[in-house]
Amino acid sequence: MRTIGAIVKEPRPCSIVGFDPATLEVSYHEVTNWYEGPADRIFEVRLASGRSVRVTAAHTLFTLDAHGEIVRVRTAELEPGTLVAIPRRIPEPPLAAAVIDVVAAVPEAELQHMMLDGPAVAAAHAEHPTLIAALLHEAGYEAASYYRSRHRLPYPVAAQVPGLLDALGTDDRIARRGERHRLPLQISVDEDLAWLLGMFIAEGHRRRNQVNISNTDQTRLDRLEATLAGLGLPVYRSAVAVTCCSGLLSDVLGWIGTGDGAPQKRVPPAAFGWPDHILRSFLDGMVDGDGSVDEVRTSVWTTSEGLVADLLVLFARLGLRASCSAKPTGHLTLWQVYAPHREHKQLATTPLPEKLLLRARAAAGLSQAAAARAAGYRNPTDLNNIERRRGRDAVRFETLRRLADAYARHGADADSVGRLHALANGDLAWDRVESVTVTDRVEPIYDLEVRPGGRAIENFLAGSGGVFVSNTAGFIDAGFDGHVTLELANVASLPITLYPGMKIGQISFMEMTTPADRPYGKGATGSKYQGQRGPTPSRYFENFAEPAPDDTGDPADE
């Protein structure tokens, strides 16, 4: 979990969560470019589940058209009730790992207070005794023999010993200067430690030299005590709490991003990259600490609005569709984030693709009455209401499965039935827009280009709780030859004045390191705009025309 501003201001190879518009699968896709633009007015879009996202008026979210195809809707054109795309599930990252790198977590200003010890430090003392004695003396430490006998060095001194930091291994440890108890440089997060972290975020607090987790269940206190003792830390047990007196552990919990105090608690950002089984243990800890599991749902309660956003993404990471509700309690708001055990109406519906349903039924050669019988409806009017969009703009996933299976049994083509199955069983869920608000914020605009291997992914997961947003910048395909058409649209409610000489657009050039694999204008790329001259209107309608014998591909410019 990183802010888009941080990603753009520090460009480096990375992948983001996005969905493939063709398959509706959510996965990790390479970022291919970074964009920073001038400041613009910010709008906030809030959804029924509690998710939200802040974007400009021209930025777009995703909905579904009657043909079952992904379409973009500008923020300024969104209306309450519009269904927009959110993740139904987010797969485990390809390089999932659960490790807390303690040294990397320490803020640079705090490193001067850290002490290292272990085999690598002992080897450095043996190899560089004179250098280390001089460095200690220069730093104000006179008793070099003390540090040598204990295989110990202050971090600022260790950093100046050639090769020492690179040689540190799993048996080396770190401590605060003057503190007796130490931690491994890298802590492998197993299911017990992940569960403890979840318990801490739900029911724990920390002071300068102490971490405390409260609970009345003695079995849970046993597990907490054993896990902390396994780290070599002192543990004190009462009937209602476990206390660990370690300043370093208290600091590390803050440094990895768990927050301070109940209203500021957060899921550590790195946790979203943990393997599924570790993340499930983490969620179990949160539920055991301040949640519940009943016949209907799994719930977590919190007064931290930031934690609400984290939990909505966390549930999606584990393939659970979640929503939230707020209950004002005095000066704080108590939030319940919950994942129903069965599909429920709010997040188990998709925008109604009535033309796709008609196409699939026609491909199966069924009349409306015959199709209703084949799908197990008691009355043909049930299907008629769906196909004629009577009193509804959405349909349940279960209904799509039911119809897709019935049409498949009667020989419907794989394309139409496959799209229905992708909508019913794929990785996208849909959430209703509750409000679109113009804020008083004017901020620089950051954006990412996501076109790995030339594929038009062009979206990424953003916002509070996870909402898919699109790239705003256009893309000129490698191999294009022609005039570029500039499109201008005022999506605000007030007029915009343009003056002669005003800058209204830009083109960003990227040097290619290899020839394009599928250059525009050749072979199977469609290439509807190749050779265009002068302003050219959209030729998107050609996507629905019969392809020419030598041009059967999907154009890369749409």
Side-chain angles (χ1 to χ4, degrees), residues 43-56:
F43 286 58
E44 182 177 58
V45 182
R46 299 199 68 87
L47 307 181
S49 67
R51 293 166 172 83
S52 64
V53 64
R54 291 178 176 177
V55 289
T56 64

Side-chain angles (χ1 to χ4, degrees), residues 65-78:
D65 68 10
H67 297 278
E69 297 300 324
I70 298 291
V71 293
R72 306 181 189 211
V73 183
R74 283 190 173 99
T75 301
E77 297 171 348
L78 284 171

Side-chain angles (χ1 to χ4, degrees), residues 206-544:
R206 60 188 184 90
R207 299 187 179 92
R208 177 68 179 84
N209 293 305
Q210 187 181 98
V211 175
N212 182 278
I213 304 176
S214 303
N215 206 277
T216 57
D217 187 302
Q218 298 305 305
T219 303
R220 293 171 185 166
L221 294 180
D222 290 341
R223 188 176 180 184
L224 290 169
E225 184 178 16
T227 303
L228 289 168
L231 292 173
L233 299 175
V235 186
Y236 303 92
R237 168 83 172 268
S238 72
V240 295
V242 165
T243 300
C244 176
C245 293
S246 168
L248 181 57
L249 178 63
S250 177
D251 288 337
V252 168
L253 288 173
W255 294 335
I256 66 174
T258 61
D260 290 311
Q264 286 78 44
K265 286 289 183 68
R266 300 298 297 263
V267 173
F272 294 96
W274 291 352
D276 287 352
H277 70 286
I278 299 295
L279 205 53
R280 288 187 184 279
S281 293
F282 174 83
L283 179 59
D284 288 344
M286 294 202 66
V287 172
D288 288 343
D290 199 359
S292 66
V293 179
D294 56 32
E295 294 180 356
V296 178
R297 62 176 67 89
T298 297
S299 300
V300 178
W301 286 271
T302 178
T303 56
S304 168
E305 193 167 355
L307 185 56
V308 171
D310 294 342
L311 285 168
L312 290 171
V313 177
L314 176 62
F315 277 115
R317 256 293 270 113
L318 296 174
L320 302 171
R321 276 162 283 170
S323 188
C324 71
S325 61
K327 300 176 183 177
T329 57
H331 66 286
L332 290 175
T333 298
L334 180 64
W335 296 85
Q336 179 188 14
V337 185
Y338 57 89
H341 297 160
R342 292 175 294 181
E343 290 185 347
H344 67 132
K345 187 174 182 180
Q346 181 173 305
L347 296 177
T349 57
T350 179
L352 180 58
E354 71 270 25
K355 292 185 179 179
L356 174 61
L357 288 170
L358 287 169
R359 192 180 88 198
R361 177 163 69 81
L366 296 173
S367 67
Q368 193 176 78
R373 289 193 299 272
Y377 286 108
R378 185 172 300 176
N379 300 305
T381 54
D382 294 330
L383 181 56
N384 182 64
N385 290 337
I386 295 172
E387 291 185 345
R388 293 182 179 272
R389 206 182 183 96
R390 288 182 174 170
R392 69 185 73 197
D393 61 355
V395 62
R396 293 177 66 85
F397 291 137
E398 181 55 40
T399 299
L400 290 185
R401 292 191 199 102
R402 185 177 183 178
L403 293 171
D405 290 343
Y407 298 158
R409 289 195 302 270
H410 286 77
D413 64 282
D415 286 343
S416 56
V417 172
R419 191 64 174 182
L420 287 175
H421 277 302
L423 291 171
N425 305 311
D427 294 339
L428 291 190
W430 307 88
D431 204 348
R432 288 191 182 275
V433 173
E434 277 202 339
S435 64
V436 181
T437 307
V438 184
T439 72
D440 58 359
R441 303 168 69 99
V442 176
E443 300 176 355
I445 304 305
Y446 302 109
D447 203 0
L448 305 174
E449 178 191 81
V450 190
R451 291 180 64 92
R455 290 182 297 144
I457 301 301
E458 299 182 326
N459 66 79
F460 52 90
L461 192 65
S464 173
V467 183
F468 284 114
V469 298
S470 74
N471 309 120
T472 55
F475 184 87
I476 299 174
D477 294 82
F480 170 77
D481 180 5
H483 292 169
V484 178
T485 299
L486 173 64
E487 299 180 10
L488 289 177
N490 178 11
V491 296
S493 57
L494 297 174
I496 298 174
T497 302
L498 300 181
Y499 299 96
M502 178 185 290
K503 295 180 179 180
I504 58 173
Q506 69 176 19
I507 297 179
S508 175
F509 293 92
M510 293 169 286
E511 183 176 359
M512 299 183 66
T513 57
T514 63
D517 291 334
R518 295 190 305 154
Y520 193 78
K522 297 181 180 179
T525 57
S527 311
K528 298 187 297 294
Y529 301 94
Q530 187 73 322
Q532 69 183 25
R533 294 292 179 266
T536 303
S538 172
R539 293 174 178 167
Y540 187 65
F541 66 90
E542 293 184 15
N543 284 12
F544 302 97

